[in-house]
Amino acid sequence: MNAMAAQRWNFWGGIITALTLVWAILWAFPLYWGVISSLKPDDEVVRPYVELWPETPTLENYIDALTTTQIGAWYVNSVAVAVGVTVITIFISMLCGYAISQLRFPGRIALWWLILASFMVPTSALIINHFVLVANLGLLNTWAGIMLPQLIHPVIIIVYKQFFDQVPKDFREAAVMDNASEFGILFKIYMPMNWGVTTALSIVCFIWTWNAFLWPFLSVTRTEMMTITVGITQVNDAFGVYYARQLSAAVLAGLPVALAYLFFQRRVTEAITLSAGIKG
């Protein structure tokens, strides 16, 4: 590469870097604004001009959110629902992916195409059916009612199926010759090979469930049974809306997910790549 080509490359590289930086700032600014506004008194939040830093920083809004709302119960509900959905979803998706990949049974191909087709159906299109079913089962305002419609994630089944397809057949044949059961083959041979995939999918499934709003909003009417994403909509006052208090509750709601992403960002990126079909 001659000097002129190197200079041209450096020029365009600098342009791309600058554009990326600008885009990152535009993306991060609403997050920054929300956090900073939550540290302001209410009268500063509603001022008609922009202040990039609070004039009198205060934690009063966070104290108010922690002491005058049921945010503790909302956290418990969110943790219970997110952990329950993650564990059950990963387990049944793993079994389904293994069965479709490794077993031969009538209707296997039809089941696989049904899973692929369901991947293209938006969840919101089924929300009325979910509500009627859960209501008829008497599960409204319960953890089970919040969890049931969120247990099926076709993309997780697809990822598991792709992984099991890539495992060399020699492992399964050797286990079959040793009279290993299907559960033994799955949990003693295949599972140790895919802990990384399972960990990544578990983290992303947990984040999906924690951030869910529409279904928990429709299936819960009692304040003490709300998840954190729904509960923060209840942070208001009889005399009007207090934006700083709502923003502080929103920050508290998003904090666990933000920390999970910071600690497990490599696994999250891996799971997103897997679910996009870029990596099998």
Side-chain angles (χ1 to χ4, degrees):
M1 181 183 294
N2 56 38
M4 184 174 295
Q7 290 178 356
R8 187 180 299 113
W9 175 260
N10 290 335
F11 172 77
W12 286 111
I15 293 295
I16 294 173
T17 301
L19 291 175
T20 303
L21 180 61
V22 171
W23 183 259
I25 293 173
L26 291 176
W27 177 87
F29 183 76
L31 300 178
Y32 169 81
W33 184 255
V35 174
I36 290 302
S37 296
S38 69
L39 297 173
K40 297 178 179 180
D42 286 302
D43 61 320
E44 289 187 29
V45 176
V46 296
R47 288 177 180 175
Y49 50 87
V50 176
E51 290 181 326
L52 297 179
W53 189 258
E55 182 178 323
T56 53
T58 178
L59 294 176
E60 180 183 350
N61 299 310
Y62 287 94
I63 296 173
D64 182 80
L66 291 171
T67 57
T68 64
T69 69
Q70 300 185 48
I71 195 169
W74 301 338
Y75 264 121
V76 171
N77 294 334
S78 288
V79 170
V81 170
V83 171
V85 168
T86 300
V87 171
I88 297 174
T89 298
I90 293 297
F91 182 72
I92 63 178
S93 297
M94 184 190 308
L95 295 180
C96 185
Y98 176 82
I100 295 174
S101 173
Q102 301 297 316
L103 305 182
R104 298 296 179 265
F105 55 89
R108 183 178 70 91
I109 301 301
L111 177 60
W112 173 238
W113 282 106
L114 180 63
I115 292 172
L116 292 177
S118 65
F119 177 65
M120 295 179 287
V121 178
T123 305
S124 55
L126 305 173
I127 205 74
I128 297 177
N129 298 334
H130 289 164
F131 184 86
V132 173
L133 179 61
V134 171
N136 289 338
L137 292 174
L139 295 178
L140 294 178
N141 292 306
T142 65
W143 286 352
I146 302 174
M147 292 167 56
L148 279 176
Q150 302 185 73
L151 293 180
I152 304 299
H153 289 284
V155 65
I156 298 180
I157 299 175
I158 294 170
V159 170
Y160 269 122
K161 195 264 186 187
Q162 290 177 338
F163 173 82
F164 292 135
D165 284 345
Q166 293 183 357
V167 176
K169 301 297 183 182
D170 297 342
F171 290 99
R172 176 176 173 80
E173 293 172 357
V176 171
M177 292 180 63
D178 290 338
N179 295 321
S181 65
E182 294 297 342
F183 280 100
I185 296 173
L186 173 59
F187 291 107
K188 294 182 180 179
I189 297 176
Y190 282 73
M191 269 298 296
M193 296 181 185
N194 75 346
W195 276 121
V197 175
T198 298
T199 302
L201 292 176
S202 298
I203 295 169
V204 172
C205 184
F206 180 89
I207 293 175
W208 285 344
T209 309
W210 183 278
N211 289 336
F213 175 80
L214 179 59
W215 175 248
F217 176 76
L218 294 175
S219 61
V220 175
T221 56
R222 290 162 45 192
T223 305
E224 67 273 12
M225 291 302 301
M226 292 178 177
T227 59
I228 189 69
T229 52
V230 179
I232 60 176
T233 64
Q234 307 300 308
V235 181
N236 48 36
D237 190 86
F239 299 99
V241 177
Y242 287 85
Y243 298 106
R245 298 181 191 178
Q246 289 190 328
L247 287 170
S248 63
V251 171
L252 291 173
L255 187 60
V257 173
L259 293 176
Y261 179 79
L262 289 176
F263 284 112
F264 304 106
Q265 54 182 313
R266 185 174 65 86
R267 292 297 187 187
V268 173
T269 304
E270 179 183 351
I272 293 173
T273 304
L274 288 168
S275 62
I278 299 174
K279 182 177 179 181

